[in-house]
Structures are given as structure tokens and as C-alpha cells.
Amino acid sequence: MIDLADLHARLAPLFPGLMGVELTEAAPDRVVARMTVRPDLCTAGGILHGGAVMAFADTLGAVGTVLNLPPGGRTTTTDSSTKFIAGAPAGSVVVGECTAFHRGRSTMVWQTLVRLESGKLCAVVTQTQLVMVDR
């Protein structure tokens, strides 16, 4: 069983913790999280910055990959593609649902749908994670 409290503790001192990423579900094939859209994460127009959207989604794919790593394994993102659909205004909450497309020995591919809590789609992010094992 995956311990969300342990995952939060691991993320808290890192960039995802700074952004306020809150994991709500975590399994080897699916990760769900939420994040409050604070003004310091926004553009001058008061909507969630594209880089923050990408970092949010990247975090979820990385968490999913970590849950699948073999002993001694580590990961890094090698590719990420984002399609922006709608803005998320300051004060709203975004929810990311990340699902595995491919979980191989050397790469994993994840897709994250970033939505407002109302369900409105904001972005679709597809990323590839490299799996590295020290030998």
C-alpha cells in the first residue's frame, strides 16, 4: 500500500512542496493531486502560469514513475508536451489526473489532464520519464 503521508514528506522540501502540490491518490498506474492557484503562481493576467501547469503535471508523472522504479532506480523527464486549453484563475483549485500510457523497463509515458475543480479542462500534458538503474 502506498503511503501518501510519506510521499508528501518527500515532496515538501522540494519544488512541488513550494508550489503547494497535494497528492490525493497514488497508485502505480494513476496519480491524482490538487493545487491551489495562488497569485505568486500566476501571470500578470491573474491566471496560472504555463510553467506552473507544466511543473504540476511533471510532478505527477515523476511520482508515478517513482512508484514503479526497481530497487536502486531513479528517474528524470526526457520529454514533455503541453496543450493549453483554458486558464485557471487565481483563487481556483486545479486537479491533475495522471495516468500511465506505458510502464517499461527504460521509459515510462504519462498523460496528465489538468482541470479546474468544476471539471473544465485546462491542459493536457504528455511526458516521458527515463528510468535509470545503477549497476
Side-chain angles (χ1 to χ4, degrees):
M1 184 163 152
I2 295 162
D3 184 353
L4 283 177
D6 177 57
L7 289 173
H8 276 286
R10 292 170 68 181
L11 292 177
L14 306 174
F15 187 61
L18 180 66
M19 289 180 40
V21 174
E22 302 170 38
L23 297 171
T24 59
E25 296 178 40
D29 62 345
R30 182 173 181 264
V31 178
V32 180
R34 51 182 304 184
M35 182 176 73
T36 299
V37 180
R38 303 186 318 249
D40 61 329
L41 297 175
C42 290
T43 65
I47 61 168
L48 186 61
H49 191 284
V53 171
M54 295 168 71
F56 177 56
D58 185 67
T59 297
L60 304 189
V63 167
T65 301
V66 166
L67 295 176
N68 286 280
L69 287 176
R74 52 195 166 85
T75 185
T76 191
T77 306
T78 61
D79 180 73
S80 183
S81 172
T82 303
K83 303 298 182 217
F84 296 101
I85 311 297
S92 66
V93 173
V94 291
V95 176
E97 179 181 4
C98 183
T99 55
F101 276 3
H102 167 72
R103 291 182 294 157
R105 287 180 300 181
S106 59
T107 61
M108 297 193 193
V109 180
W110 298 85
Q111 183 179 69
T112 304
L113 301 178
V114 179
R115 300 178 185 273
L116 293 173
E117 278 188 311
S118 67
K120 183 176 184 177
L121 184 63
C122 297
V124 178
V125 182
T126 304
Q127 72 189 82
T128 303
Q129 293 285 135
L130 179 66
V131 175
M132 300 169 284
V133 180
D134 295 331
R135 299 190 195 261

